[in-house]
Amino acid sequence: VGFGRMGSLTCEELAQKKMPFVVIERIPERISEIERHGYPFLQGDGTEEAILLQAGLARAKTLVSVVPSDAENVFITLTTRQLAPHVQIIARAELPSTLKKLKHAGAHQVVLPAAIGARRIASLLTNPSALEFVELVTSRSSLEIEMDEALISEKCSLAARNLRDSMIRTKTNVLVIAVKHADGRLEFPPGPDSTLQVGDRLVLVGSRANLK
């Protein structure tokens, strides 16, 4: 919801990764830009229940609310939580004080662009090499290094095995940098004796080919 600066960049990234999405935008001047990119869209007000449902909220996995108004992002989050309790919600906040309101409204993740920018500037001053590595991994780099995650499903042969015995790095040359356990625990970094269970998610770093 919202095709401003954050919305357009988010859509660009999703399109690059071939993830399906629908844009909701109410400002007529932005519709031509959406059409130029070929993104599926619905022109309307994302704070209205009918528009959210028409865009496919009931069958969506995630809703991203990035309109410039904190009040509208809170309202969209509340409405989404009531209409579709199963949907993950990612919302934007301009003011730090809005973070708690969005969490109470039902947002799973809240992004504060100003805070992220400030931390990045501080990292450039204090630890530029580490920041360079993170940007290398998270951007479309010439080295084709990416970060991804993999679910340990019921059919996965890694279930009930530890990382040492899984031999993931030996077989695929991919690094496991974290394990998000099904019970909510996060191991970062995981030890070699960390046992993988059904429902766990591995956070991986490697080349695109090896990740695949």
Side-chain angles (χ1 to χ4, degrees):
V1 183
F3 195 74
R5 287 176 297 176
M6 283 196 68
S8 60
L9 289 171
T10 301
C11 290
E12 182 181 343
E13 291 293 327
L14 293 176
Q16 286 285 342
K17 295 183 181 298
K18 301 188 185 304
M19 293 183 66
F21 61 90
V22 176
V23 182
I24 299 176
E25 176 56 61
R26 67 184 175 194
I27 300 176
E29 291 77 14
R30 292 178 178 170
I31 299 301
S32 59
E33 182 68 11
I34 299 172
E35 290 178 324
R36 187 176 68 82
H37 286 286
Y39 300 148
F41 72 94
L42 183 66
Q43 185 173 357
D45 189 342
T47 63
E48 296 180 6
E49 293 185 9
I51 295 296
L52 291 172
L53 293 172
Q54 190 178 343
L57 179 63
R59 63 180 184 275
K61 178 181 178 181
T62 306
L63 178 131
V64 179
S65 184
V66 287
V67 296
S69 165
D70 280 9
E72 288 189 13
N73 283 322
V74 171
F75 191 83
I76 291 168
T77 298
L78 279 169
T79 304
T80 299
R81 181 55 59 239
Q82 292 172 358
L83 293 175
H86 68 282
V87 170
Q88 180 189 33
I89 301 173
I90 302 172
R92 164 190 181 177
E94 288 300 311
L95 300 175
S97 59
T98 308
L99 191 150
K100 186 180 293 186
K101 296 174 184 176
L102 282 165
K103 288 284 188 178
H104 285 168
H108 296 86
Q109 300 289 339
V110 179
V111 178
L112 286 88
I116 293 173
R119 284 195 293 267
R120 185 174 183 275
I121 291 171
S123 296
L124 284 169
L125 295 170
T126 60
N127 206 341
S129 296
L131 182 62
E132 183 181 3
F133 172 75
V134 172
E135 290 186 339
L136 181 70
V137 171
T138 56
S139 65
R140 297 189 299 275
S141 67
S142 58
L143 296 181
E144 296 190 338
I145 296 174
E146 290 189 353
M147 187 179 293
D148 206 344
E149 68 175 44
L151 173 68
I152 304 297
S153 66
E154 293 181 359
K155 298 179 180 179
C156 182
S157 62
L158 298 180
R161 298 172 65 182
N162 61 36
L163 279 177
R164 180 189 291 107
D165 295 338
S166 72
M167 300 182 69
I168 293 174
R169 183 176 181 183
T170 302
K171 293 179 179 179
T172 66
N173 202 27
V174 166
L175 295 176
V176 180
I177 64 170
V179 178
K180 296 193 290 185
H181 292 285
D183 60 9
R185 290 181 298 115
L186 175 67
E187 280 192 84
F188 178 76
D193 295 321
S194 178
T195 301
L196 306 177
Q197 302 292 347
V198 172
D200 291 352
R201 291 183 178 272
L202 308 182
V203 182
L204 310 166
V205 172
S207 69
R208 295 174 192 172
N210 289 342
L211 286 169
K212 184 177 180 181

